[in-house]
Amino acid sequence: MENFTEIEFLDIEENNTYSELIDRVITKCFEVENLQKTKMYISVTLTTPEQIRKINNEFRQVDKETDVLSFPMFEKEEILEIKKKTSKFEEALGDIIVSVDRVKEQAKEYGHSFERELAYMIVHGFYHLMGEDHMKEDEKAQMRAKEENVLKLLDITRE
């Protein structure tokens, strides 16, 4: 199995269970979106509410904590072109930053497992890197369908 992720733990303890889940989710996302032939990868950082707030403020000028941030390296149209190329395109697709404490809180709030919530955050971040958005209802419906498809293929369901 190819590795499409670089995982960093920022101010939290390393956790192999988290890493394995993230690798599995990103690998499935790459398969579904036909990116596995590229040499692209995603940088994932798992961190604290304080760190994600700092990053959100620094890069988006939003001084508040959030659950997940995505920083794409390409526009949607560029990704479509990259997918068409047969040569290996060795570059980051982007960065996903997740607040692990928020994942724990939201798992409880929504009544499902930590695994399900973390997987959802990663898939959600991935589709933002792919140029998807959820500002309009039709965009939101399309993005949610893609997210749920990946989770279903992984057999990660709401419990």
Side-chain angles (χ1 to χ4, degrees), residues 2-29:
E2 286 211 49
N3 188 355
F4 302 107
T5 55
E6 286 183 356
I7 301 171
E8 178 185 354
F9 293 84
L10 179 61
D11 289 351
I12 65 169
E13 193 174 317
E14 281 194 39
N15 184 309
N16 286 336
T17 304
Y18 298 174
S19 296
E20 289 168 10
L21 175 63
I22 291 166
D23 282 337
R24 231 173 27 118
V25 170
I26 296 289
T27 297
K28 185 57 72 179
C29 288

Side-chain angles (χ1 to χ4, degrees), residues 103-117:
V103 171
K104 290 175 184 172
E105 291 168 15
Q106 289 173 185
K108 277 185 193 168
E109 181 183 333
Y110 299 131
H112 52 245
S113 68
F114 174 85
E115 175 193 49
R116 192 329 178 151
E117 189 64 19

Side-chain angles (χ1 to χ4, degrees), residues 44-123:
V44 176
T45 301
L46 300 176
T47 194
T48 64
E50 298 79 24
Q51 283 294 343
I52 206 165
R53 179 182 187 149
K54 210 188 290 186
I55 294 164
N56 202 16
N57 191 28
E58 181 180 344
F59 291 98
R60 298 181 60 235
Q61 291 71 54
V62 177
D63 188 19
K64 72 176 209 173
E65 178 194 332
T66 189
D67 50 5
V68 62
L69 292 170
S70 301
F71 296 101
M73 298 299 290
F74 301 97
E75 297 294 325
K76 193 173 190 174
E77 297 75 29
E78 292 175 302
I79 294 167
L80 294 174
E81 287 303 311
I82 290 167
K83 285 168 69 170
K84 290 178 190 175
K85 295 180 180 178
T86 53
S87 62
K88 302 285 185 183
F89 194 84
E90 207 163 334
E91 199 162 334
L93 186 59
D95 299 291
I96 298 172
I97 302 165
V98 177
S99 170
V100 174
D101 287 348
R102 282 295 287 273
V103 171
K104 290 175 184 172
E105 291 168 15
Q106 289 173 185
K108 277 185 193 168
E109 181 183 333
Y110 299 131
H112 52 245
S113 68
F114 174 85
E115 175 193 49
R116 192 329 178 151
E117 189 64 19
L118 179 57
Y120 176 77
M121 287 294 123
I122 297 300
V123 174

